[in-house]
Amino acid sequence: MVAVSKTFGVEHVRAAAAAGQRDFGENRVQEAVDKMAALADLPLNWHFIGHLQSNKARKAGASFAVIHSIDSVDLLQRVDRAALEAGVSPEGLVQVDLAGEATKFGAELPHLRDIFTASSTCRALRIVGLMLLPPFSEDPEATRPYFVRLRNLQQDLLTDGVDPASVCQLSMGMSHDYEVAVQEGATIVRVGTAIFGRRSKQ
Ligand SMILES: *Cc1c(COP(=O)(O)O)cnc(C)c1O
């Protein structure tokens, strides 16, 4: 479970860490890097879960343990170069756009194969799975079909010969629907509100 600490201060992260939580999620690079510096005394794994602009790829590739939002070959290669230069080897997830929503980010299905093909030439970044941010619905059952589709997509990629190590993780499910996501095969859930309470912004 990734505890999504975006907008919450370092004291909230410290409290969760004291309770045993190690993985934290952020959606803004600078906010996260500031928290990392303030919490450098703790052994935490930082996950980037927001949309990653290419001009932030360098800092993100050097700073995060896991980047959930790789959605193009260009971004993949930028993050890989940054990680190589920084001497780190982060994990990456390919964010998939199953809904084709113009407002949402994520790779559309035809581009997925290209990203996986390119990932085999990465030198520092290791692609380990798929990430989904489905259209929001209050009703978790309305989201279940998207979770099923991500799992089926994982199966299709395996059938197509994609390296199993690069599709083993499924990052899906948030505060209101993580139980359904787990039923459908999530290996990583990203939970913010249910841990830290409601966010005042974003
Ligand atoms: C904010 C966010 C979450 C957590 O949402 P909650 O509803 O607070 O659990 C999960 N994933 C992504 C990509 C987010 O931006």
Side-chain angles (χ1 to χ4, degrees), residues 5-160:
S5 49
K6 63 187 183 192
T7 78
F8 286 97
V10 292
E11 66 285 4
H12 289 83
V13 178
R14 273 196 195 278
Q21 181 66 24
R22 288 288 169 267
D23 291 84
F24 290 89
E26 293 282 333
N27 69 343
R28 292 184 181 215
V29 175
Q30 192 56 50
E31 179 184 341
V33 168
D34 291 345
K35 286 180 194 168
M36 289 175 198
L39 296 162
D41 56 307
L42 296 176
L44 306 180
N45 303 318
W46 291 96
H47 296 241
F48 188 77
I49 62 170
H51 173 61
L52 188 53
Q53 292 166 312
S54 45
N55 63 352
K56 302 276 171 61
R58 195 179 170 80
K59 206 172 214 177
S63 310
F64 289 90
V66 188
I67 296 176
H68 290 232
S69 46
I70 303 293
D71 63 0
S72 71
V73 171
D74 178 63
L75 189 59
L76 174 93
Q77 291 172 342
R78 282 174 192 265
V79 170
D80 183 51
R81 268 198 305 277
L84 188 70
E85 280 172 25
V88 293
S89 47
E91 294 183 344
L93 299 164
V94 178
Q95 184 174 352
V96 181
D97 177 9
L98 289 177
E101 293 173 296
T103 53
K104 279 253 171 57
F105 299 103
E108 293 185 22
L109 297 182
H111 299 135
L112 270 188
R113 286 295 315 198
D114 295 344
I115 297 175
F116 278 97
T117 302
S119 76
S120 64
T121 66
C122 283
R123 294 152 299 169
L125 176 68
R126 288 167 297 131
I127 293 294
V128 297
L130 303 171
M131 182 271 212
L132 177 69
L133 182 58
F136 182 82
S137 168
E138 293 285 347
D139 176 11
E141 287 305 326
T143 313
R144 187 185 294 272
Y146 288 98
F147 296 146
V148 171
R149 281 172 67 190
L150 197 71
R151 191 185 65 219
N152 289 340
L153 183 62
Q154 176 190 45
Q155 235 22 75
D156 292 347
L157 289 165
L158 286 171
T159 307
D160 276 7

Side-chain angles (χ1 to χ4, degrees), residues 4 6 27 49-50 131 133 173-176 190-194 199:
V4 178
K6 63 187 183 192
N27 69 343
I49 62 170
M131 182 271 212
L133 182 58
M174 302 164 46
S175 290
H176 70 294
R190 310 175 307 265
V191 180
T193 312
R199 289 177 291 275

Side-chain angles (χ1 to χ4, degrees), residues 170-193:
L170 294 180
S171 168
M172 57 187 194
M174 302 164 46
S175 290
H176 70 294
D177 59 11
Y178 68 87
E179 287 172 322
V180 171
V182 168
Q183 285 164 11
E184 298 302 345
T187 62
I188 303 175
V189 292
R190 310 175 307 265
V191 180
T193 312

